Amino acid sequence: MSTARLAPGVALVTVPGQGLAVRTPDGEFLRVDTGTADPAALVAHLTGTTGDSPALEGLTDAFEQAGYLARPGGSSPRLAGRTVLVLGDEPLTGALTRLVRAEGGEARAVRPGELPAVEGPGTAVVWCLDAPVPSGLWDEADRLSARGVAWLRCHREGATAWLEPLAVGPGDVTSAHIRLRRLAATPAHRELAAYWAGSCTNDNGPAHSAASAALTAALLTADLVAWAAGADGSRRLLRRVDLRDLAVTAHPVLPVPDVAPVTR
């Protein structure tokens, strides 16, 4: 039996007069029936104070089956084996690159002209802008998800950073879909379209600070971790970060279905 240790976020709590309880990573408390085993011996065993004990093998197996143990060498970094191609503006790209590498992923910078050649299910492209998105800039990148490449992006409009949903497959939300949804949701759709087209004065909103860049990069990295784990919770959420107070809000969003051209 290999040495067992409590998984990250799991704690054993000695409750006076009640014995042991497990606090799960989600904050739930579960009573532990140690039977004839000494609770103190179980705590010592699972916290590394003592070595393996045949008398505690059954309890240790129960902890492992419940997912409350981490065996040495049993887990790998959450982005191991994934390649993340990064484009855009500092300080966003620097913060994102550091977090991706800390999670075991390979992060490297690419140029927009290299995107048509990018393919493969182990690859993600993340484009971060500290400014509005010029019309047409992300048209080519919107085709990435149809080729099996994960496509993630963020940009800033004034004092708001927009984090668009991760696109992984042909039916996911693209940047073009987001623009259509936002235009449909505002009575100022003509003004918003003109703003996106560049018919405005220079954007002088607050640029990303180190704190807002770190927050944005952390949210993007969480999307990448979910992608690597096969989860899809981030593929239908459009998030906004208020750069003035770092408040984050999320809004569900769906792709825009294709429609047949109008004929006369």
Side-chain angles (χ1 to χ4, degrees), residues 130-194:
D130 192 11
V133 185
S135 293
L137 180 66
W138 285 349
D139 288 354
E140 180 63 41
D142 267 352
R143 302 184 179 97
L144 289 166
S145 57
R147 305 201 302 266
V149 178
W151 164 225
L152 186 59
R153 61 265 173 212
C154 69
H155 70 282
R156 178 180 60 79
E157 295 177 9
T160 301
W162 293 85
L163 283 70
E164 300 190 3
L166 178 76
V168 178
D172 283 340
V173 179
T174 66
S175 173
H177 293 160
I178 293 295
R179 291 204 170 205
L180 290 172
R181 292 295 188 191
R182 289 184 59 192
L183 287 172
T186 175
H189 54 90
R190 294 180 181 86
E191 291 81 357
L192 182 57

Short mmCIF file of all heavy atoms in Angstrom, two decimals, residues 130-194:
data_model
loop_
_atom_site.label_atom_id
_atom_site.label_comp_id
_atom_site.label_asym_id
_atom_site.label_seq_id
_atom_site.Cartn_x
_atom_site.Cartn_y
_atom_site.Cartn_z
N ASP A 130 -6.20 44.94 -24.80
CA ASP A 130 -6.46 46.00 -23.83
C ASP A 130 -7.07 47.19 -24.56
O ASP A 130 -6.68 48.34 -24.36
CB ASP A 130 -5.15 46.40 -23.14
CG ASP A 130 -5.39 47.28 -21.92
OD1 ASP A 130 -6.55 47.42 -21.49
OD2 ASP A 130 -4.40 47.86 -21.41
N ALA A 131 -8.03 46.90 -25.43
CA ALA A 131 -8.66 47.91 -26.28
C ALA A 131 -9.86 47.27 -26.95
O ALA A 131 -10.03 46.04 -26.89
CB ALA A 131 -7.67 48.41 -27.34
N PRO A 132 -10.72 48.05 -27.60
CA PRO A 132 -11.82 47.45 -28.38
C PRO A 132 -11.28 46.61 -29.53
O PRO A 132 -10.14 46.77 -29.96
CB PRO A 132 -12.59 48.68 -28.89
CG PRO A 132 -12.23 49.79 -27.95
CD PRO A 132 -10.81 49.53 -27.55
N VAL A 133 -12.12 45.72 -30.03
CA VAL A 133 -11.71 44.83 -31.13
C VAL A 133 -12.00 45.51 -32.46
O VAL A 133 -13.17 45.80 -32.77
CB VAL A 133 -12.48 43.50 -31.07
CG1 VAL A 133 -11.95 42.55 -32.15
CG2 VAL A 133 -12.36 42.86 -29.70
N PRO A 134 -11.00 45.79 -33.27
CA PRO A 134 -11.26 46.37 -34.59
C PRO A 134 -12.11 45.44 -35.44
O PRO A 134 -12.00 44.20 -35.33
CB PRO A 134 -9.86 46.53 -35.19
CG PRO A 134 -8.93 46.54 -34.01
CD PRO A 134 -9.56 45.65 -33.00
N SER A 135 -12.98 45.99 -36.26
CA SER A 135 -13.86 45.17 -37.10
C SER A 135 -13.03 44.22 -37.96
O SER A 135 -12.05 44.62 -38.60
CB SER A 135 -14.71 46.07 -38.00
OG SER A 135 -15.63 46.82 -37.23
N GLY A 136 -13.41 42.96 -37.95
CA GLY A 136 -12.76 41.95 -38.78
C GLY A 136 -11.53 41.32 -38.19
O GLY A 136 -11.02 40.33 -38.74
N LEU A 137 -11.03 41.83 -37.07
CA LEU A 137 -9.76 41.31 -36.53
C LEU A 137 -9.87 39.84 -36.16
O LEU A 137 -8.92 39.08 -36.36
CB LEU A 137 -9.34 42.13 -35.32
CG LEU A 137 -8.03 41.69 -34.65
CD1 LEU A 137 -6.85 41.92 -35.60
CD2 LEU A 137 -7.80 42.42 -33.34
N TRP A 138 -11.02 39.42 -35.60
CA TRP A 138 -11.15 38.05 -35.12
C TRP A 138 -11.90 37.13 -36.07
O TRP A 138 -12.28 36.02 -35.71
CB TRP A 138 -11.84 38.07 -33.75
CG TRP A 138 -10.93 38.52 -32.64
CD1 TRP A 138 -9.57 38.69 -32.71
CD2 TRP A 138 -11.30 38.84 -31.30
NE1 TRP A 138 -9.08 39.10 -31.50
CE2 TRP A 138 -10.11 39.20 -30.61
CE3 TRP A 138 -12.50 38.87 -30.60
CZ2 TRP A 138 -10.11 39.58 -29.26
CZ3 TRP A 138 -12.51 39.25 -29.27
CH2 TRP A 138 -11.32 39.60 -28.60
N ASP A 139 -12.12 37.58 -37.31
CA ASP A 139 -12.86 36.75 -38.26
C ASP A 139 -12.15 35.42 -38.52
O ASP A 139 -12.77 34.35 -38.53
CB ASP A 139 -13.06 37.50 -39.59
CG ASP A 139 -14.07 38.62 -39.46
OD1 ASP A 139 -14.69 38.75 -38.39
OD2 ASP A 139 -14.22 39.40 -40.44
N GLU A 140 -10.85 35.47 -38.76
CA GLU A 140 -10.09 34.25 -39.02
C GLU A 140 -10.05 33.36 -37.78
O GLU A 140 -10.21 32.13 -37.87
CB GLU A 140 -8.68 34.59 -39.48
CG GLU A 140 -7.80 33.37 -39.78
CD GLU A 140 -8.33 32.53 -40.94
OE1 GLU A 140 -8.79 33.12 -41.95
OE2 GLU A 140 -8.29 31.28 -40.83
N ALA A 141 -9.84 33.96 -36.62
CA ALA A 141 -9.77 33.17 -35.38
C ALA A 141 -11.10 32.50 -35.07
O ALA A 141 -11.13 31.44 -34.43
CB ALA A 141 -9.34 34.07 -34.22
N ASP A 142 -12.22 33.09 -35.50
CA ASP A 142 -13.53 32.47 -35.27
C ASP A 142 -13.67 31.12 -35.97
O ASP A 142 -14.56 30.34 -35.63
CB ASP A 142 -14.65 33.40 -35.74
CG ASP A 142 -15.18 34.29 -34.63
OD1 ASP A 142 -14.79 34.08 -33.45
OD2 ASP A 142 -15.99 35.19 -34.91
N ARG A 143 -12.82 30.83 -36.92
CA ARG A 143 -12.87 29.55 -37.63
C ARG A 143 -12.10 28.45 -36.90
O ARG A 143 -12.15 27.28 -37.30
CB ARG A 143 -12.33 29.71 -39.05
CG ARG A 143 -13.07 30.75 -39.88
CD ARG A 143 -12.54 30.79 -41.31
NE ARG A 143 -13.26 31.76 -42.11
CZ ARG A 143 -12.85 33.01 -42.34
NH1 ARG A 143 -11.68 33.41 -41.83
NH2 ARG A 143 -13.57 33.83 -43.07
N LEU A 144 -11.36 28.82 -35.85
CA LEU A 144 -10.51 27.84 -35.16
C LEU A 144 -11.31 26.68 -34.56
O LEU A 144 -10.92 25.52 -34.66
CB LEU A 144 -9.70 28.53 -34.06
CG LEU A 144 -8.58 29.47 -34.53
CD1 LEU A 144 -8.09 30.34 -33.38
CD2 LEU A 144 -7.43 28.65 -35.11
N SER A 145 -12.41 27.00 -33.88
CA SER A 145 -13.15 25.95 -33.18
C SER A 145 -13.71 24.92 -34.14
O SER A 145 -13.87 23.75 -33.77
CB SER A 145 -14.28 26.58 -32.35
OG SER A 145 -15.15 27.34 -33.14
N ALA A 146 -14.03 25.30 -35.36
CA ALA A 146 -14.51 24.33 -36.35
C ALA A 146 -13.43 23.33 -36.72
O ALA A 146 -13.74 22.25 -37.24
CB ALA A 146 -15.02 25.04 -37.60
N ARG A 147 -12.16 23.67 -36.44
CA ARG A 147 -11.04 22.76 -36.72
C ARG A 147 -10.58 22.03 -35.46
O ARG A 147 -9.53 21.38 -35.48
CB ARG A 147 -9.87 23.55 -37.32
CG ARG A 147 -10.22 24.35 -38.56
CD ARG A 147 -8.99 24.68 -39.39
NE ARG A 147 -7.97 25.41 -38.68
CZ ARG A 147 -7.85 26.74 -38.69
NH1 ARG A 147 -8.74 27.47 -39.36
NH2 ARG A 147 -6.88 27.34 -38.05
N GLY A 148 -11.35 22.15 -34.38
CA GLY A 148 -11.01 21.45 -33.14
C GLY A 148 -10.04 22.17 -32.24
O GLY A 148 -9.58 21.61 -31.25
N VAL A 149 -9.72 23.43 -32.56
CA VAL A 149 -8.83 24.24 -31.73
C VAL A 149 -9.68 25.07 -30.76
O VAL A 149 -10.65 25.71 -31.18
CB VAL A 149 -7.96 25.18 -32.59
CG1 VAL A 149 -7.07 26.05 -31.71
CG2 VAL A 149 -7.12 24.37 -33.56
N ALA A 150 -9.34 25.05 -29.49
CA ALA A 150 -10.06 25.86 -28.52
C ALA A 150 -9.77 27.34 -28.76
O ALA A 150 -8.61 27.71 -28.97
CB ALA A 150 -9.67 25.45 -27.11
N TRP A 151 -10.80 28.18 -28.69
CA TRP A 151 -10.68 29.59 -29.05
C TRP A 151 -11.24 30.42 -27.91
O TRP A 151 -12.41 30.32 -27.57
CB TRP A 151 -11.40 29.83 -30.36
CG TRP A 151 -11.75 31.23 -30.78
CD1 TRP A 151 -12.94 31.63 -31.28
CD2 TRP A 151 -10.91 32.40 -30.79
NE1 TRP A 151 -12.92 32.97 -31.59
CE2 TRP A 151 -11.67 33.47 -31.30
CE3 TRP A 151 -9.59 32.65 -30.40
CZ2 TRP A 151 -11.17 34.76 -31.43
CZ3 TRP A 151 -9.09 33.94 -30.52
CH2 TRP A 151 -9.86 34.97 -31.04
N LEU A 152 -10.38 31.25 -27.30
CA LEU A 152 -10.75 32.04 -26.12
C LEU A 152 -10.21 33.45 -26.30
O LEU A 152 -9.11 33.64 -26.83
CB LEU A 152 -10.15 31.39 -24.87
CG LEU A 152 -10.50 31.95 -23.51
CD1 LEU A 152 -12.00 31.91 -23.24
CD2 LEU A 152 -9.75 31.17 -22.43
N ARG A 153 -10.98 34.46 -25.85
CA ARG A 153 -10.54 35.84 -26.10
C ARG A 153 -11.14 36.80 -25.09
O ARG A 153 -12.16 36.50 -24.46
CB ARG A 153 -10.93 36.29 -27.52
CG ARG A 153 -12.43 36.29 -27.79
CD ARG A 153 -12.88 35.02 -28.45
NE ARG A 153 -14.32 34.94 -28.57
CZ ARG A 153 -14.99 33.81 -28.52
NH1 ARG A 153 -14.37 32.66 -28.34
NH2 ARG A 153 -16.30 33.78 -28.64
N CYS A 154 -10.48 37.94 -24.96
CA CYS A 154 -11.00 39.01 -24.12
C CYS A 154 -10.57 40.34 -24.72
O CYS A 154 -9.59 40.42 -25.46
CB CYS A 154 -10.50 38.88 -22.68
SG CYS A 154 -8.75 39.20 -22.46
N HIS A 155 -11.33 41.39 -24.40
CA HIS A 155 -10.96 42.72 -24.85
C HIS A 155 -11.54 43.74 -23.89
O HIS A 155 -12.33 43.42 -23.00
CB HIS A 155 -11.46 42.98 -26.28
CG HIS A 155 -12.95 43.11 -26.38
ND1 HIS A 155 -13.80 42.03 -26.36
CD2 HIS A 155 -13.74 44.21 -26.49
CE1 HIS A 155 -15.05 42.45 -26.47
NE2 HIS A 155 -15.04 43.77 -26.55
N ARG A 156 -11.13 44.99 -24.06
CA ARG A 156 -11.60 46.07 -23.18
C ARG A 156 -12.33 47.12 -23.99
O ARG A 156 -11.89 47.50 -25.08
CB ARG A 156 -10.42 46.73 -22.45
CG ARG A 156 -10.84 47.90 -21.54
CD ARG A 156 -9.65 48.52 -20.84
NE ARG A 156 -8.65 49.05 -21.75
CZ ARG A 156 -8.76 50.22 -22.38
NH1 ARG A 156 -9.83 50.98 -22.19
NH2 ARG A 156 -7.79 50.64 -23.17
N GLU A 157 -13.45 47.56 -23.44
CA GLU A 157 -14.18 48.70 -23.99
C GLU A 157 -14.37 49.69 -22.86
O GLU A 157 -15.13 49.43 -21.92
CB GLU A 157 -15.53 48.27 -24.56
CG GLU A 157 -15.43 47.33 -25.76
CD GLU A 157 -16.78 46.86 -26.25
OE1 GLU A 157 -17.81 47.39 -25.77
OE2 GLU A 157 -16.81 45.96 -27.10
N GLY A 158 -13.66 50.80 -22.89
CA GLY A 158 -13.73 51.76 -21.80
C GLY A 158 -13.27 51.14 -20.50
O GLY A 158 -12.16 50.60 -20.40
N ALA A 159 -14.13 51.18 -19.48
CA ALA A 159 -13.78 50.65 -18.17
C ALA A 159 -14.24 49.22 -17.98
O ALA A 159 -14.24 48.71 -16.85
CB ALA A 159 -14.40 51.53 -17.07
N THR A 160 -14.63 48.54 -19.06
CA THR A 160 -15.13 47.17 -18.96
C THR A 160 -14.26 46.22 -19.77
O THR A 160 -13.98 46.49 -20.95
CB THR A 160 -16.58 47.09 -19.48
OG1 THR A 160 -17.41 47.95 -18.71
CG2 THR A 160 -17.11 45.66 -19.37
N ALA A 161 -13.85 45.14 -19.14
CA ALA A 161 -13.19 44.05 -19.86
C ALA A 161 -14.23 42.98 -20.14
O ALA A 161 -14.98 42.58 -19.25
CB ALA A 161 -12.04 43.47 -19.04
N TRP A 162 -14.30 42.54 -21.38
CA TRP A 162 -15.24 41.50 -21.80
C TRP A 162 -14.48 40.20 -22.02
O TRP A 162 -13.52 40.15 -22.79
CB TRP A 162 -15.93 41.90 -23.10
CG TRP A 162 -16.85 43.09 -22.98
CD1 TRP A 162 -16.51 44.41 -23.05
CD2 TRP A 162 -18.26 43.05 -22.76
NE1 TRP A 162 -17.62 45.20 -22.89
CE2 TRP A 162 -18.71 44.40 -22.71
CE3 TRP A 162 -19.19 42.02 -22.59
CZ2 TRP A 162 -20.05 44.73 -22.51
CZ3 TRP A 162 -20.52 42.35 -22.39
CH2 TRP A 162 -20.94 43.68 -22.35
N LEU A 163 -14.91 39.14 -21.33
CA LEU A 163 -14.32 37.81 -21.50
C LEU A 163 -15.36 36.94 -22.18
O LEU A 163 -16.39 36.61 -21.60
CB LEU A 163 -13.93 37.21 -20.15
CG LEU A 163 -12.65 37.72 -19.48
CD1 LEU A 163 -12.82 39.15 -19.00
CD2 LEU A 163 -12.29 36.81 -18.30
N GLU A 164 -15.09 36.60 -23.44
CA GLU A 164 -16.07 35.85 -24.22
C GLU A 164 -15.94 34.35 -23.97
O GLU A 164 -14.89 33.86 -23.55
CB GLU A 164 -15.88 36.18 -25.70
CG GLU A 164 -16.09 37.66 -26.00
CD GLU A 164 -16.15 37.98 -27.48
OE1 GLU A 164 -16.09 37.05 -28.31
OE2 GLU A 164 -16.26 39.17 -27.81
N PRO A 165 -17.01 33.60 -24.22
CA PRO A 165 -16.99 32.16 -23.90
C PRO A 165 -15.96 31.39 -24.71
O PRO A 165 -15.63 31.76 -25.84
CB PRO A 165 -18.41 31.70 -24.25
CG PRO A 165 -19.24 32.93 -24.33
CD PRO A 165 -18.31 34.03 -24.75
N LEU A 166 -15.48 30.32 -24.11
CA LEU A 166 -14.56 29.41 -24.80
C LEU A 166 -15.32 28.69 -25.91
O LEU A 166 -16.41 28.16 -25.69
CB LEU A 166 -14.00 28.40 -23.80
CG LEU A 166 -13.08 27.33 -24.34
CD1 LEU A 166 -11.71 27.92 -24.61
CD2 LEU A 166 -12.94 26.18 -23.34
N ALA A 167 -14.76 28.67 -27.10
CA ALA A 167 -15.33 27.92 -28.22
C ALA A 167 -14.43 26.73 -28.51
O ALA A 167 -13.22 26.89 -28.67
CB ALA A 167 -15.45 28.81 -29.46
N VAL A 168 -15.03 25.55 -28.56
CA VAL A 168 -14.26 24.32 -28.76
C VAL A 168 -14.71 23.56 -30.00
O VAL A 168 -13.90 22.94 -30.68
CB VAL A 168 -14.36 23.40 -27.52
CG1 VAL A 168 -13.59 22.11 -27.73
CG2 VAL A 168 -13.85 24.12 -26.28
N GLY A 169 -15.99 23.62 -30.30
CA GLY A 169 -16.53 22.87 -31.44
C GLY A 169 -17.32 23.75 -32.38
O GLY A 169 -17.53 24.94 -32.13
N PRO A 170 -17.80 23.18 -33.47
CA PRO A 170 -18.52 23.96 -34.49
C PRO A 170 -19.77 24.65 -33.97
O PRO A 170 -20.17 25.68 -34.49
CB PRO A 170 -18.88 22.90 -35.54
CG PRO A 170 -17.89 21.80 -35.34
CD PRO A 170 -17.60 21.78 -33.88
N GLY A 171 -20.41 24.13 -32.91
CA GLY A 171 -21.64 24.73 -32.42
C GLY A 171 -21.47 25.71 -31.29
O GLY A 171 -22.46 26.12 -30.67
N ASP A 172 -20.25 26.12 -31.01
CA ASP A 172 -20.00 26.99 -29.87
C ASP A 172 -20.10 28.47 -30.25
O ASP A 172 -20.20 28.84 -31.42
CB ASP A 172 -18.63 26.69 -29.25
CG ASP A 172 -18.66 25.42 -28.42
OD1 ASP A 172 -19.75 25.01 -28.00
OD2 ASP A 172 -17.58 24.85 -28.19
N VAL A 173 -20.03 29.32 -29.22
CA VAL A 173 -20.21 30.76 -29.39
C VAL A 173 -18.92 31.39 -29.90
O VAL A 173 -17.85 31.23 -29.30
CB VAL A 173 -20.62 31.41 -28.06
CG1 VAL A 173 -20.77 32.92 -28.22
CG2 VAL A 173 -21.92 30.80 -27.54
N THR A 174 -19.02 32.11 -30.99
CA THR A 174 -17.86 32.81 -31.56
C THR A 174 -17.94 34.29 -31.24
O THR A 174 -18.93 34.79 -30.73
CB THR A 174 -17.81 32.61 -33.08
OG1 THR A 174 -18.96 33.26 -33.66
CG2 THR A 174 -17.81 31.13 -33.46
N SER A 175 -16.89 35.00 -31.61
CA SER A 175 -16.88 36.44 -31.43
C SER A 175 -17.98 37.11 -32.26
O SER A 175 -18.63 38.06 -31.82
CB SER A 175 -15.51 37.01 -31.83
OG SER A 175 -15.51 38.41 -31.81
N ALA A 176 -18.20 36.60 -33.47
CA ALA A 176 -19.27 37.15 -34.30
C ALA A 176 -20.63 36.98 -33.64
O ALA A 176 -21.49 37.87 -33.70
CB ALA A 176 -19.25 36.48 -35.68
N HIS A 177 -20.84 35.84 -33.00
CA HIS A 177 -22.10 35.61 -32.28
C HIS A 177 -22.28 36.62 -31.15
O HIS A 177 -23.38 37.16 -30.94
CB HIS A 177 -22.13 34.20 -31.70
CG HIS A 177 -22.19 33.13 -32.73
ND1 HIS A 177 -21.83 31.82 -32.46
CD2 HIS A 177 -22.54 33.16 -34.05
CE1 HIS A 177 -21.97 31.09 -33.55
NE2 HIS A 177 -22.39 31.88 -34.53
N ILE A 178 -21.20 36.88 -30.42
CA ILE A 178 -21.27 37.83 -29.31
C ILE A 178 -21.67 39.21 -29.82
O ILE A 178 -22.52 39.90 -29.22
CB ILE A 178 -19.93 37.90 -28.57
CG1 ILE A 178 -19.63 36.58 -27.86
CG2 ILE A 178 -19.93 39.06 -27.57
CD1 ILE A 178 -20.60 36.24 -26.74
N ARG A 179 -21.10 39.62 -30.92
CA ARG A 179 -21.44 40.94 -31.46
C ARG A 179 -22.92 41.00 -31.85
O ARG A 179 -23.61 41.99 -31.56
CB ARG A 179 -20.56 41.26 -32.66
CG ARG A 179 -19.11 41.51 -32.27
CD ARG A 179 -18.39 42.36 -33.29
NE ARG A 179 -17.08 42.78 -32.79
CZ ARG A 179 -16.43 43.86 -33.18
NH1 ARG A 179 -16.98 44.67 -34.07
NH2 ARG A 179 -15.26 44.17 -32.69
N LEU A 180 -23.43 39.96 -32.47
CA LEU A 180 -24.84 39.94 -32.85
C LEU A 180 -25.74 39.97 -31.62
O LEU A 180 -26.75 40.68 -31.60
CB LEU A 180 -25.13 38.71 -33.71
CG LEU A 180 -24.53 38.71 -35.12
CD1 LEU A 180 -24.74 37.35 -35.78
CD2 LEU A 180 -25.13 39.82 -35.97
N ARG A 181 -25.38 39.19 -30.60
CA ARG A 181 -26.19 39.17 -29.38
C ARG A 181 -26.18 40.52 -28.68
O ARG A 181 -27.22 40.99 -28.18
CB ARG A 181 -25.67 38.09 -28.43
CG ARG A 181 -25.86 36.65 -28.90
CD ARG A 181 -27.30 36.27 -29.01
NE ARG A 181 -27.47 34.84 -29.27
CZ ARG A 181 -28.63 34.30 -29.61
NH1 ARG A 181 -29.72 35.04 -29.72
NH2 ARG A 181 -28.71 32.99 -29.85
N ARG A 182 -25.04 41.16 -28.62
CA ARG A 182 -24.96 42.46 -27.95
C ARG A 182 -25.71 43.54 -28.73
O ARG A 182 -26.36 44.41 -28.13
CB ARG A 182 -23.50 42.85 -27.74
CG ARG A 182 -22.78 42.02 -26.68
CD ARG A 182 -21.37 42.52 -26.44
NE ARG A 182 -21.37 43.92 -26.02
CZ ARG A 182 -20.27 44.67 -25.97
NH1 ARG A 182 -19.10 44.16 -26.34
NH2 ARG A 182 -20.35 45.92 -25.57
N LEU A 183 -25.65 43.49 -30.03
CA LEU A 183 -26.39 44.46 -30.83
C LEU A 183 -27.90 44.27 -30.64
O LEU A 183 -28.66 45.23 -30.55
CB LEU A 183 -26.04 44.32 -32.31
CG LEU A 183 -24.65 44.83 -32.73
CD1 LEU A 183 -24.37 44.44 -34.17
CD2 LEU A 183 -24.54 46.34 -32.54
N ALA A 184 -28.32 43.01 -30.55
CA ALA A 184 -29.75 42.73 -30.39
C ALA A 184 -30.25 43.12 -29.00
O ALA A 184 -31.45 43.35 -28.82
CB ALA A 184 -30.02 41.25 -30.64
N ALA A 185 -29.34 43.19 -28.02
CA ALA A 185 -29.77 43.43 -26.64
C ALA A 185 -29.79 44.90 -26.26
O ALA A 185 -30.19 45.24 -25.14
CB ALA A 185 -28.84 42.68 -25.68
N THR A 186 -29.37 45.80 -27.15
CA THR A 186 -29.32 47.22 -26.79
C THR A 186 -30.13 48.06 -27.77
O THR A 186 -30.08 47.82 -28.99
CB THR A 186 -27.87 47.73 -26.75
OG1 THR A 186 -27.87 49.13 -26.50
CG2 THR A 186 -27.14 47.46 -28.05
N PRO A 187 -30.86 49.07 -27.26
CA PRO A 187 -31.54 49.99 -28.19
C PRO A 187 -30.56 50.89 -28.94
O PRO A 187 -30.91 51.46 -29.96
CB PRO A 187 -32.45 50.80 -27.26
CG PRO A 187 -31.80 50.72 -25.91
CD PRO A 187 -31.17 49.36 -25.86
N ALA A 188 -29.32 50.98 -28.43
CA ALA A 188 -28.30 51.81 -29.09
C ALA A 188 -27.46 50.98 -30.04
O ALA A 188 -26.23 51.11 -30.10
CB ALA A 188 -27.43 52.47 -28.03
N HIS A 189 -28.10 50.11 -30.81
CA HIS A 189 -27.33 49.19 -31.66
C HIS A 189 -26.59 49.93 -32.78
O HIS A 189 -25.49 49.54 -33.17
CB HIS A 189 -28.25 48.12 -32.26
CG HIS A 189 -29.43 48.66 -32.99
ND1 HIS A 189 -29.41 48.93 -34.33
CD2 HIS A 189 -30.69 48.98 -32.54
CE1 HIS A 189 -30.59 49.40 -34.71
NE2 HIS A 189 -31.39 49.43 -33.64
N ARG A 190 -27.16 51.02 -33.29
CA ARG A 190 -26.45 51.78 -34.32
C ARG A 190 -25.19 52.43 -33.75
O ARG A 190 -24.13 52.44 -34.39
CB ARG A 190 -27.37 52.84 -34.92
CG ARG A 190 -28.56 52.28 -35.69
CD ARG A 190 -29.42 53.38 -36.25
NE ARG A 190 -30.59 52.85 -36.96
CZ ARG A 190 -31.73 52.53 -36.36
NH1 ARG A 190 -31.86 52.68 -35.05
NH2 ARG A 190 -32.74 52.06 -37.07
N GLU A 191 -25.32 52.99 -32.56
CA GLU A 191 -24.18 53.63 -31.91
C GLU A 191 -23.09 52.62 -31.57
O GLU A 191 -21.89 52.88 -31.77
CB GLU A 191 -24.63 54.36 -30.65
CG GLU A 191 -25.49 55.58 -30.90
CD GLU A 191 -26.96 55.25 -31.16
OE1 GLU A 191 -27.31 54.05 -31.20
OE2 GLU A 191 -27.76 56.19 -31.32
N LEU A 192 -23.52 51.45 -31.06
CA LEU A 192 -22.54 50.41 -30.71
C LEU A 192 -21.81 49.91 -31.96
O LEU A 192 -20.59 49.72 -31.94
CB LEU A 192 -23.22 49.26 -29.99
CG LEU A 192 -22.33 48.12 -29.51
CD1 LEU A 192 -21.22 48.63 -28.58
CD2 LEU A 192 -23.15 47.03 -28.82
N ALA A 193 -22.56 49.72 -33.04
CA ALA A 193 -21.92 49.27 -34.28
C ALA A 193 -20.92 50.31 -34.79
O ALA A 193 -19.84 49.97 -35.27
CB ALA A 193 -22.99 48.99 -35.34
N ALA A 194 -21.27 51.60 -34.67
CA ALA A 194 -20.35 52.66 -35.10
C ALA A 194 -19.11 52.70 -34.21
O ALA A 194 -17.99 52.92 -34.70
CB ALA A 194 -21.07 54.01 -35.08
#
